[in-house]
Amino acid sequence: MDLEVDVAAKRAHDVRVGRVYEPAGTAEGCRVLVDRIWPRGLSKESAALDEWCKDVAPSTELRRWYGHDPEKFPEFSRRYRAELHDDAVHAEALLHLRSVAERRPLTLLTATKDCDISAAAVLRTELERR
């Protein structure tokens, strides 16, 4: 029984972030695009996605305000977390991703060049919280 709990806990923390333009790896688990806008120049076939969860992406207003400015990332993270928990559509999408992460490894994909300061990185942190 303890082994089952340990395995489930490990799975719940197996959330990765990657660029959608990179080829799919063998250990990525469920590949989910978490951007609101489809990546330029990428066909659906070459993306090799399991799903596109655009409802979890930041609002258009927040995304435009942020503009991937590294100095704005802390405030972007705060505002995006508020959206994730205060908006019913965002909250439902977050719950969906949490349920996926509890069952299998999950890779959150974004077109952003710097994944460390992306919405996907904020999502990973949220999903890793218990």
Side-chain angles (χ1 to χ4, degrees), residues 13-103:
H13 292 287
D14 196 6
V15 179
R16 301 177 188 126
V17 172
R19 291 199 72 220
V20 71
Y21 295 107
E22 299 296 323
T26 56
E28 289 187 336
C30 185
R31 292 172 46 90
V32 179
L33 178 64
V34 293
D35 290 347
R36 185 169 302 280
I37 300 169
W38 186 262
R40 287 184 189 162
L42 187 68
S43 70
K44 292 188 180 191
E45 294 78 29
S46 63
L49 299 176
D50 291 295
E51 72 179 90
W52 180 16
C53 187
K54 57 185 160 184
D55 286 341
V56 78
S59 65
T60 300
E61 297 79 19
L62 181 57
R63 182 179 51 80
R64 286 182 180 158
W65 170 83
Y66 175 44
H68 298 285
D69 179 347
E71 291 183 16
K72 291 182 177 179
F73 184 69
E75 180 62 16
F76 167 77
S77 296
R78 187 192 69 72
R79 291 182 187 187
Y80 182 37
R81 281 187 177 94
E83 280 188 358
L84 287 171
H85 297 286
D86 295 343
D87 177 82
V89 173
H90 278 99
E92 185 175 327
L94 182 62
L95 281 174
H96 167 68
L97 291 178
R98 192 176 306 279
S99 72
V100 171
E102 287 172 356
R103 292 188 313 264

